[in-house]
Amino acid sequence: MTNRRPPLYLLIPAGAALALVLVPIAGLLQHVPWHTLLTQVTSDQVLTALRLSLVCSVLAVVVALVLGVPLAWMLARTTFPGKAMVRAVVTLPLVLPPVVGGVALLFAFGAHGFAGEALAHLGVTLPFTTAGAVLAETFVAMPFLVIAVEAGIRQADVRYEEAAATLGAGAWMRFWRVTVPLIAPSLAAGAALTWARALGEFGATITFAGNLPGTTQTMPLAVYVALESNTDGAIALSLVLLVVSLGILLGLRHRWLGVRV
Amino acid sequence: MAVALGAFDLDAAITAEPGELVAVVGPNGAGKSTLLRALAGLVALRAGRIALDGTVLADVAARVWVAPERRSISFMFQDALLFPHMSARDNVAFGLRARRVPRRHALRQADVLLEQVGIPARGASRPATLSGGERQRVALARALITEPRLLLLDEPFAAVDASARPELRRVLRLQLGRYDGVRVLVTHDPLEAMALADRVVVLEHGTVAQTGTIADVTARPRSAWVSTMLGLNLFRGVAGEWGIDVGAATIAAVSDVRGAAFAVVHPRAVALHRSRPEGSPRNVWLGRVESLDLQGDRVRVRLTGPLPVVAEVTPAAVADLELSIGDEAWVSVKATEVQLHAA
Amino acid sequence: MLVLLATAGAGCDNPSATHTNGGGGDRAADPLTGKLTVLAAASLTDAFEHARTALLATHPGLAITNSFAGSQTLVTQVENGAPADVIATADTATMQRLVADGLVDVPRVFARNRLEIVVAPGNPKHVSGLADLGRGNLKVVLEDPSVPAGRYGRQALQRRGTTVRPVSLPLDVRSELLAVEQGNADAGIVYVTDVSSAGAAVSGVPIPDSENVIATYPVAVVRATTNRDAAQAFVDALLDGAGRQALVALGFVAP
């Protein structure tokens, strides 16, 4: 039944859905200054923003992995009181407007926030720093990782871990040599989505981390700022972001769908 | 060395000696797998105690609990459960690696075991490319490499082709011969139980219904299930064209099986006569009635003689034949009723 | 719907020629109705809310929507056809883009503003002037150069000869105020009106006129407006006596 030609009554709304996404992208492509594209893309401002974005987004993924995988494990394999609440809280950043997230981070980690004051005693300041940008990106992107990995762990047969235990493997060995390889696909998919989300984060970053080229002006911020003074630069940056996102999604398609396209 | 326990949802007391293979049998849902999992430490006890070689693995009253990874056990699962992302060799070596054995040494040991179980060439293959029988061989090697004091086998050959089972049983017996821990085997295949077990524990509805040697249980089954599943006549011998030579006699049989084999004769296929029967049955001999047991609407008659055998007849037949203990009776079994299985 | 109301408004009105301009006198015209969309630079928030209230008092049937954002964002929106009737920016250069494209009527300067240094209440870091902003241990925020306030601020610093390494370049004045209020930054350069509107949450350090930059605020009627009468009325209200008083009260300088 899956190889039939698409019927007309489905083709029309489906076509409209596709157009909804394609038309703005086409609008963008139409204005790309192809003749100056190379100089734009290699200009200082763009390269700085690009490098910063890559560093911050990758760090965000690392933090999300280190913190999110144990959390996903607990949600998938253990029971404890308030588990449903924990899961809701962890996925909250998904529905929270990013600016709201940024404001919340500001009030918590800012100079007058309870967490900010505590950190200040240790000599750590987060607002207007690259670390702050990483925190903002992690905040909005980590839920993707937790959700993907939790689903993966749930699907993984717990009996493999039992088998490993009967063979004498302790918890650490079981985790690294059995669980992680078994959930590798969902781990990779979760990490890729997290990275894409972190890369594109704007509202939380600008509200909490601020806007300073080289320190906190990530690509989305640079696009926004460039929109006025350097439209060509903005479009060039947008194109770069578009290509990167497309690349991630194409690379993911097998995982995402679980079938051959 | 003994294993004793009382367990969760399942109330059983079982002991086993080293080198002994105890088969745990019973209807589905009786708790056989739960028993094994409790012994492995994969399931908590609600009450009771497990001791192995004098070491207490679990004791609810004394709050002792040893995690599965620290028990000297190995588990062979029905679906092998080989780690899909590792080669056969890495799977086998896993237990040694868990004990911090250096990689190279562990892999070499794994190769040795793979050869012992008969698949030396398959070390580099992933489990997905192995046949069911090959997978269970790897699982066996994996379980034995750590020389566990207690080996648990959960219906290891149930998922394998019936035709591959005899060979696997042979491999298992061979390996078990090299190894002297306690073995507990769960099976629903009476033939397997009879072929491998020294003692049998019958588990029904979470409690032990009967224990004893195969012979005991076969002769005096205490429940309909046992008599149906286990109460078969089993002889071991060498099969040839004419039938099977079981030492004391040759049983005529019709079969393609050759070499080491089992002969299975259902008690219902055993006919009893007051005088020597004429007619088609090829297997006829004189026996003496040793016991008569009424089982529901059947009577199980145990006879000694050149071939000890159990017959199942109606009470009316017993009355007709005026059979009583000590009497002689002629036994006949048609050759076509003798099933041969490769050993 | 919008078109209908506008036509009705136009029908009910006397011709716009009878509207008086300036002098806080009576308006002989019938009350205006319809919708009015006003785009204004963020630093005009208080001023334009005030103007809106004043206009509603005489024309209660008018539905006025004020939309505040950075001047550059507003101009981009109008350039791309966003529906607006009136636009006011924080400098003439930004407005000039619309003039050059023929998108607005002739702009009029309705207010001026001066710069001021904003610090935490009580000035705990003892900032005395522009020169102090170059101190190494001071966390300074400046508007991004794409925003008029940012350009003005840099102008003033350049004239004074001070080099500043900001910790962030906020994209609007409200964010900058928030940073100083929250203690994440020690000082910033904003408009005088912003400091006074923030009240007790911040303190201000005046910049002497000799070092200061005067910001000019132009307002213009968008040519594509669908409610020309109301748009014009809004502009007039900014420029007349009452409007001027209100602006001065907020700290603006009369044009």
Side-chain angles (χ1 to χ4, degrees), chain B:
Chain B
M1 292 172 265
V3 175
L5 71 84
F8 172 95
D9 232 0
L10 157 71
D11 193 359
I14 302 181
T15 59
E17 296 302 313
E20 195 178 33
L21 190 145
V22 175
V24 178
V25 299
N28 283 335
K32 312 192 291 289
S33 286
T34 311
L35 176 65
L36 280 194
R37 289 168 66 81
L39 287 173
L42 297 172
V43 160
L45 293 187
R46 191 163 50 191
R49 194 172 168 276
I50 304 178
L52 176 63
D53 283 3
T55 315
V56 176
L57 296 181
D59 189 334
V60 177
R63 304 218 180 174
V64 174
W65 174 259
V66 177
E69 52 264 31
R70 280 200 281 276
R71 302 187 183 193
S72 180
I73 55 156
S74 263
F75 209 116
M76 218 180 131
F77 298 87
Q78 184 174 351
D79 358 4
L81 287 185
L82 300 180
F83 304 123
H85 55 282
M86 296 186 201
S87 66
R89 181 184 292 122
D90 284 329
N91 263 282
V92 175
F94 190 86
L96 290 183
R97 298 289 290 137
R99 282 159 179 72
R100 312 281 175 95
V101 171
R103 199 183 142 89
R104 210 165 289 162
H105 184 74
L107 290 176
R108 243 179 294 147
Q109 267 300 96
D111 282 331
V112 168
L113 255 97
L114 282 171
E115 183 163 350
Q116 282 178 5
V117 296
I119 44 169
R122 304 293 265 151
S125 310
R126 289 278 168 104
T129 60
L130 299 174
S131 71
E134 287 172 333
R135 280 203 283 274
Q136 285 298 10
R137 290 180 198 233
V138 176
L140 179 62
R142 185 174 75 170
L144 289 178
I145 201 171
T146 54
E147 294 176 9
R149 300 308 305 150
L150 173 60
L151 178 65
L152 304 163
L153 305 116
D154 191 354
E155 308 206 34
F157 306 136
V160 177
D161 263 356
S163 54
R165 281 184 215 161
E167 178 60 30
L168 287 173
R169 275 201 290 270
R170 205 194 328 259
V171 171
L172 179 62
R173 249 213 312 282
L174 189 63
Q175 293 312 312
L176 292 183
R178 296 178 197 221
Y179 149 80
D180 68 344
V182 180
R183 322 95 191 266
V184 180
L185 166 80
V186 162
T187 179
H188 67 271
D189 181 355
L191 196 60
E192 200 164 87
M194 291 192 286
L196 296 170
D198 300 308
R199 279 198 305 123
V200 164
V201 170
V202 180
L203 218 55
E204 282 185 54
H205 307 303
T207 57
V208 175
Q210 194 171 4
T211 71
T213 62
I214 289 288
D216 292 340
V217 173
T218 309
R220 270 171 278 274
R222 287 212 203 117
S223 71
W225 189 91
V226 180
S227 72
T228 314
M229 297 308 282
L230 285 185
L232 304 171
N233 291 298
L234 182 72
F235 307 99
R236 279 175 226 212
V238 180
E241 264 184 77
W242 55 93
I244 180 168
D245 179 350
V246 297
T250 301
I251 305 176
V254 181
S255 169
D256 289 335
V257 175
R258 299 285 178 267
F262 295 111
V264 177
V265 179
H266 202 288
R268 281 183 217 151
V270 179
L272 299 178
H273 316 263
R274 258 315 186 187
S275 51
R276 189 190 176 105
E278 290 170 6
S280 58
R282 312 298 307 135
N283 299 301
V284 176
W285 67 91
L286 189 63
R288 188 178 294 278
V289 176
E290 187 189 50
S291 68
L292 295 164
D293 281 302
L294 183 64
Q295 293 273 314
D297 58 352
R298 302 288 166 111
V299 178
R300 289 181 78 92
V301 183
R302 186 164 171 79
L303 301 116
T304 57
L307 275 180
V309 78
V310 175
E312 195 174 286
V313 295
T314 61
V318 173
D320 271 354
L321 293 169
E322 292 173 13
L323 284 178
S324 38
I325 297 180
D327 284 356
E328 281 190 339
W330 285 93
V331 181
S332 78
V333 178
K334 293 163 72 168
T336 48
E337 295 280 10
V338 178
Q339 292 169 19
L340 291 190
H341 301 266

Side-chain angles (χ1 to χ4, degrees), chain C residues 19-114:
Chain C
H19 275 219
T20 47
N21 214 2
D26 301 324
R27 295 196 190 281
D30 292 331
L32 296 163
T33 54
K35 290 175 84 169
L36 190 68
T37 306
V38 176
L39 305 182
S43 51
L44 292 169
T45 307
D46 285 348
F48 271 38
E49 284 299 311
H50 197 268
R52 178 176 168 274
T53 320
L55 202 61
L56 281 177
T58 25
H59 303 276
L62 201 54
I64 305 178
T65 314
N66 282 342
S67 187
F68 301 105
S71 301
Q72 72 287 5
T73 310
L74 299 173
V75 164
T76 308
Q77 286 174 351
V78 173
E79 278 175 344
N80 285 300
D85 304 295
V86 178
I87 178 164
T89 58
D91 68 359
T92 45
T94 318
M95 180 67 85
Q96 196 53 35
R97 280 165 52 183
L98 294 177
V99 172
D101 290 339
L103 293 170
V104 293
D105 290 350
V106 176
R108 313 223 7 218
V109 173
F110 67 97
R112 292 183 203 277
N113 213 340
R114 291 200 324 275

Side-chain angles (χ1 to χ4, degrees), chain A:
Chain A
M1 263 308 235
T2 48
N3 286 326
R4 285 171 47 179
R5 307 193 48 188
L8 197 62
Y9 61 84
L10 283 183
L11 212 52
I12 293 176
L18 191 61
L20 187 65
V21 177
L22 280 180
V23 167
I25 295 177
L28 180 68
L29 289 174
Q30 191 198 11
H31 283 98
V32 171
W34 299 104
H35 48 284
T36 56
L37 186 63
L38 197 59
T39 39
Q40 291 289 357
V41 166
T42 49
S43 76
D44 267 348
Q45 185 198 18
V46 171
L47 287 179
T48 309
L50 192 53
R51 196 181 332 131
L52 186 67
S53 266
L54 286 175
V55 167
C56 288
S57 56
V58 168
L59 282 175
V61 173
V62 169
V63 174
L65 281 171
V66 170
L67 300 182
V69 172
L71 180 61
W73 168 270
M74 277 188 49
L75 287 172
R77 284 282 164 80
T78 64
T79 48
F80 53 88
K83 185 161 130 170
M85 192 64 183
V86 169
R87 191 185 280 118
V89 165
V90 165
T91 46
L92 194 61
L94 279 181
V95 296
L96 206 63
V99 173
V100 174
V103 170
L105 284 168
L106 200 57
F107 284 131
F109 289 97
H112 292 169
F114 67 90
E117 281 178 11
L119 285 173
H121 284 308
L122 299 171
V124 175
T125 320
L126 287 177
F128 304 149
T129 60
T130 312
V134 173
L135 178 59
E137 291 183 8
T138 310
F139 179 82
V140 299
M142 194 168 71
F144 285 97
L145 187 81
V146 175
I147 289 177
V149 172
E150 190 197 337
I153 294 180
R154 262 184 209 285
Q155 283 168 10
D157 199 335
V158 67
R159 296 182 309 158
Y160 286 115
E161 285 157 40
E162 286 183 345
T166 61
L167 289 165
W172 187 256
M173 184 174 180
R174 290 202 300 269
F175 181 74
W176 286 109
R177 296 213 57 207
V178 178
T179 313
V180 167
L182 281 177
I183 61 169
S186 37
L187 204 59
L193 283 174
T194 305
W195 184 49
R197 179 69 185 87
L199 200 61
E201 176 47 37
F202 177 81
T205 314
I206 194 173
T207 311
F208 178 60
N211 171 41
L212 193 66
T215 308
T216 53
Q217 190 180 73
T218 55
M219 291 248 287
L221 267 63
V223 170
Y224 187 76
V225 165
L227 218 44
E228 310 323 314
S229 45
N230 179 13
T231 322
D232 278 358
I235 297 177
L237 269 172
S238 305
L239 191 63
V240 173
L241 272 173
L242 184 64
V243 168
V244 169
S245 309
L246 205 61
I248 295 175
L249 286 175
L250 280 176
L252 262 187
R253 71 188 188 288
H254 289 309
R255 312 289 181 215
W256 204 214
L257 297 174
V259 298
R260 292 267 126 114
V261 170

